Amino acid sequence: MGSRKDKIIQRKRTIKKSLHVDLVINPEQDERKIELLICIILFLFGFYQSILFYGHHIMPSPDFPSFLKVGKQLWSFKIPTDYMRGPTYGLFVYPLSLIVGGGHPELTAAWLFNSILQIFNLILIFLVGKKIVGNSAFWLALLGILNPWLIEVFTKPIAEICLLFFMLTTFFFMFRGSSLCYLFASIATMVRYECAALILASFVMDMIRRKDRKEKIRALCFSVLASLPLGLWMLGTMFFFPNEKSGTVHYIQFINIEKLINIKVVARELNLLWYSIIGPLFRPGLSAGENSVKLLNGIIELIAFLSFAFGIIWGLLKKQWNILALLIFFVLYMIVHISYAYSEPRFYTPVQWIFLLICWYGIKSFWQRIKAYEKIPKYVIFGAQTAVLVISILWLSILAGYLPRFANMSPRSVSLPYAAIIASVFFVAGGAFIYKGKNLWRNIVVLAVICLMIISNQFSVAGVIKDGTHDGEFKQLLDWYIHNAKPGEKMVSTLNDLLGVLAPAYKDCFISHGSLNADNPDDFVNRCYENGVKYVAWDSRIGVTPDDVFYTLAKLDNIAVLCNKQSIGPYEYITTITHPTDDWRYINVFRLRPRPVQPSVQSTE
């Protein structure tokens, strides 16, 4: 009897112990659950964001037709004639345009392509970051994908989203020791040429990690093969390098190495990096004084600099070679863009997540070192966390009160911060459920800080993407042309290629100023007559910037007199099209009067 009772007790203990192992001390199973949960949350948020901003900008980027043209030429088995842009983006978008159809299939295909890739970019940022900072890379992915200028290039659309995808895919396989990283690095270089640094990073990582001599030789062979497409493309660049007659330019012409030793230039670029990455995340209230703003920015800049520096130093000391790979690409990318002729915040969208990741790694590593060397009383930690929580909530509530003011500026993005906050709450709640409430208080504090950053970021999002009518006066110009021009009548415009993308049926009717290659105003008029041009459009987008390189390429001096809203010479003033919200953006439309009949010379005998 006793023996039977002992067996029952032993069986209950075994079952209880098994349940305890399954539910409490099975970290691998919990890790799989939390990773799956994060990927689901990010997928849903990415899907929501893609739907929200699909087709937001009525006009694509002015660079869009150039990227598309190269891919279209290759699909047509033609040798490209312009090697300024890489072909990868166009190679994907053009065949997709043949499938989607519609009134402007190429633009629709680009919207769809970017919408799909952006979802994967969000998940890939997490998966790449997880190799360095663990599951807290969720916050990195969320903040990275909410960057205002990343959203801008996502909605334009333009090649940065494609570039980011192949960058992240390269790092994804690189951090897992897969040689597939060379394939994706090679593709990335054909999106934008500075991604050649990815091939170098892949090779360096293999030289560090591969111990066998044969494996290192194989890595060298892979790196050479990965560089071949770029090498062939540069060979084409040499044969078709732009000149005065071609009317085209190349990135190489905008590189000035001397800028790298100019301290003021470097400082300006670092400030732009700060402005486009960290600046939007910690914004003071609109009523804050100038001194308060400077103090806050100074503190945040110092924290960002120290955390980034510590992340690099500590990562290299601890042989966290993933940090080295990121650093190789980040530094070389920065060198290229510091030496570039001009700068825009969007240039740093492909690397902003790297900067945030290294900063977060630095903060996390520093805190772990402090806890390891100094026994900090729990009440001190609790007090500090409570202070951070209270400050974050108060700061957040102040900023949230200003959000309604930005609703009219960017109606489409109003729901974005709330959706991001909901995703963050689900992550914290799901983690609390999976880990049985472990570190819940700490995660709530982090959640409050992240919510503050999301709300702060919305100010910049609204200011950057606005209502999607950037360059909208050209869409109005297109509508005017369709309703007023007779079949076959041609029009000269600076954004002729974009008008052709929006209205493919009329694309042969739109001509660029530069393509006429006129030497002077009179020659311009004659060439217009020769090419059947009926309308000439002068726009303030470029027309008021005579020092701009594109003003010179388009030879807009030939129509400088058209800045005035009045008829002159052979030009008959028709109308002025003004941007819906920006009064300084406008287009003057002129009709060419009939060409004067030249008197015939009759011979007499």
Side-chain angles (χ1 to χ4, degrees):
M1 186 70 180
S3 176
R4 184 180 179 184
K5 185 177 181 180
D6 290 341
K7 288 182 179 180
I8 293 173
I9 294 173
Q10 183 64 31
R11 187 180 301 169
K12 287 182 178 180
R13 287 177 179 174
T14 302
I15 294 173
K16 186 177 180 180
K17 185 177 179 180
S18 176
L19 289 173
H20 182 73
V21 170
D22 290 339
L23 299 177
V24 181
I25 56 172
N26 194 342
E28 290 185 3
Q29 187 178 17
D30 289 344
E31 278 298 307
R32 287 195 295 270
K33 288 180 181 178
I34 194 68
E35 183 173 313
L36 177 61
L37 174 66
I38 290 173
C39 288
I40 292 173
I41 293 174
L42 292 179
F43 175 83
L44 292 175
F45 180 79
F47 184 78
Y48 149 81
Q49 189 188 43
S50 293
I51 295 296
L52 179 67
F53 290 114
Y54 181 86
H56 174 63
H57 277 99
I58 60 176
M59 290 291 292
S61 166
D63 294 336
F64 173 71
S66 300
F67 282 103
L68 188 65
K69 177 183 177 181
V70 180
K72 189 185 297 187
Q73 287 177 330
L74 289 175
W75 276 114
S76 302
F77 301 101
K78 297 179 181 178
I79 298 176
T81 55
D82 186 354
Y83 290 80
M84 182 175 181
R85 274 99 185 180
T88 299
Y89 187 65
L91 285 172
F92 280 100
V93 172
Y94 176 65
L96 186 59
S97 70
L98 302 178
I99 299 173
V100 298
H104 38 67
E106 294 168 345
L107 180 57
T108 302
W111 283 338
L112 180 60
F113 184 62
N114 275 17
S115 296
I116 294 172
L117 289 191
Q118 191 73 333
I119 299 173
F120 287 104
N121 286 343
L122 178 57
I123 296 173
L124 282 169
I125 292 176
F126 163 70
L127 294 176
V128 171
K130 188 176 186 293
K131 287 290 185 178
I132 296 176
V133 295
N135 291 325
S136 60
F138 171 86
W139 309 117
L140 166 73
L142 199 60
L143 294 175
I145 215 70
L146 290 175
N147 181 272
W149 290 274
L150 183 60
I151 296 176
E152 182 191 29
V153 297
F154 160 53
T155 57
K156 278 293 189 173
I158 200 172
E160 271 83 356
I161 300 302
C162 179
L163 170 68
L164 181 59
F165 173 77
F166 285 108
M167 276 177 52
L168 289 166
T169 311
T170 300
F171 283 117
F172 175 82
F173 286 108
M174 186 193 305
F175 290 177
R176 284 158 178 76
S178 172
S179 296
L180 283 173
C181 64
Y182 290 102
L183 171 62
F184 289 98
S186 181
I187 298 174
T189 61
M190 301 310 291
V191 181
R192 284 247 296 265
Y193 310 128
E194 55 265 47
C195 283
L198 290 173
I199 300 175
L200 175 61
S202 301
F203 177 70
V204 170
M205 290 290 282
D206 269 346
M207 291 300 101
I208 293 173
R209 291 175 172 173
R210 308 293 184 188
K211 303 303 179 183
D212 185 78
R213 184 169 176 270
K214 289 184 179 180
E215 290 183 341
K216 291 187 176 183
I217 293 175
R218 185 178 64 177
L220 176 62
C221 294
F222 281 148
S223 64
V224 172
L225 289 173
S227 304
L228 283 179
L230 180 61
L232 292 174
W233 200 256
M234 289 298 103
L235 189 62
T237 302
M238 293 172 60
F239 281 107
F240 294 94
F241 198 77
N243 52 49
E244 293 183 2
K245 294 182 178 180
S246 67
T248 59
V249 292
H250 196 279
Y251 292 127
I252 297 174
Q253 295 171 292
F254 293 91
I255 297 293
N256 182 6
I257 302 297
E258 293 180 359
K259 294 177 69 175
L260 295 172
I261 59 175
N262 189 322
I263 297 177
K264 290 184 179 180
V265 171
V266 175
R268 184 188 66 202
E269 291 301 316
L270 293 179
N271 284 332
L272 183 61
L273 182 74
W274 150 265
Y275 168 76
S276 61
I277 299 177
I278 304 296
L281 302 179
F282 294 97
R283 185 179 297 275
L286 298 181
S287 60
E290 183 178 352
N291 293 332
S292 299
V293 172
K294 287 183 178 179
L295 177 61
L296 174 63
N297 288 339
I299 293 174
I300 301 301
E301 283 181 16
L302 180 62
I303 294 174
F305 171 76
L306 293 177
S307 60
F308 185 77
F310 186 81
I312 292 172
I313 295 171
W314 188 256
L316 296 181
L317 287 175
K318 289 296 179 179
K319 298 183 179 181
Q320 171 57 280
W321 301 125
N322 291 340
I323 292 290
L324 175 62
L326 294 173
L327 194 61
I328 289 173
F329 180 78
F330 181 83
V331 171
L332 293 178
Y333 187 94
M334 289 296 299
I335 288 174
V336 169
H337 284 276
I338 289 174
S339 59
Y340 199 58
Y342 62 95
S343 296
E344 293 182 20
R346 72 175 179 88
F347 290 167
Y348 296 115
T349 54
V351 296
Q352 49 93 13
W353 65 275
I354 296 178
F355 187 83
L356 289 175
L357 175 56
I358 295 178
C359 285
W360 181 236
Y361 175 74
I363 293 173
K364 187 175 181 179
S365 299
F366 181 76
W367 177 245
Q368 290 174 344
R369 292 316 98 204
I370 292 295
K371 287 175 44 177
Y373 292 116
E374 297 289 341
K375 186 66 176 179
I376 303 176
K378 290 185 178 181
Y379 67 86
V380 174
I381 296 177
F382 179 79
Q385 290 175 333
T386 303
V388 171
L389 178 65
V390 172
I391 292 173
S392 298
I393 292 176
L394 291 176
W395 192 349
L396 185 155
S397 62
I398 293 172
L399 294 181
Y402 294 111
L403 287 183
R405 300 187 186 184
F406 293 87
N408 292 331
M409 180 185 294
S410 180
R412 187 76 69 93
S413 68
V414 168
S415 63
L416 183 65
Y418 305 109
I421 290 173
I422 291 173
S424 301
V425 170
F426 271 105
F427 167 60
V428 172
F433 177 78
I434 292 173
Y435 292 112
K436 308 299 182 296
K438 183 180 179 181
N439 295 322
L440 178 59
W441 172 250
R442 182 198 66 187
N443 292 339
I444 290 175
V445 174
V446 174
L447 174 63
V449 177
I450 296 297
C451 290
L452 165 64
M453 297 165 79
I454 291 172
I455 295 296
S456 174
N457 184 71
Q458 180 61 18
F459 287 66
S460 295
V461 170
V464 172
I465 68 170
K466 297 183 180 180
D467 57 359
T469 60
H470 183 69
D471 289 337
E473 67 272 24
F474 286 91
K475 178 62 169 64
Q476 292 174 280
L477 174 65
L478 175 63
D479 294 337
W480 178 91
Y481 173 86
I482 292 174
H483 285 93
N484 293 277
K486 296 178 181 178
E489 290 185 334
K490 296 181 180 180
M491 180 173 68
V492 175
S493 169
T494 56
L495 293 185
N496 61 298
D497 288 335
L498 283 189
L499 299 181
V501 168
L502 290 173
Y506 299 91
K507 65 179 180 179
D508 293 332
C509 296
F510 305 127
I511 301 175
S512 67
H513 300 79
S515 66
L516 295 175
N517 200 25
D519 296 326
N520 54 62
D522 291 334
D523 187 31
F524 178 83
V525 173
N526 290 329
R527 290 176 184 265
C528 283
Y529 285 132
E530 292 170 1
N531 287 273
V533 173
K534 188 66 175 179
Y535 301 98
V536 177
W538 178 95
D539 62 82
S540 63
R541 174 181 169 270
I542 297 181
V544 296
T545 56
D547 296 330
D548 191 282
V549 63
F550 295 103
Y551 181 100
T552 304
L553 285 171
K555 297 186 176 182
L556 293 183
D557 278 339
N558 291 328
I559 60 166
V561 294
L562 302 187
C563 65
N564 300 311
K565 303 173 184 179
Q566 60 185 27
S567 299
I568 182 172
Y571 300 104
E572 178 187 357
Y573 172 71
I574 302 299
T575 187
T576 294
I577 298 172
T578 305
H579 189 278
T581 57
D582 296 331
D583 292 338
W584 69 275
R585 297 291 297 266
Y586 61 93
I587 302 174
N588 293 336
V589 183
F590 294 82
R591 181 191 292 120
L592 272 174
R593 292 188 172 102
R595 190 172 194 172
V597 178
Q598 299 293 332
S600 59
V601 179
Q602 297 181 353
S603 61
T604 59
E605 295 182 1

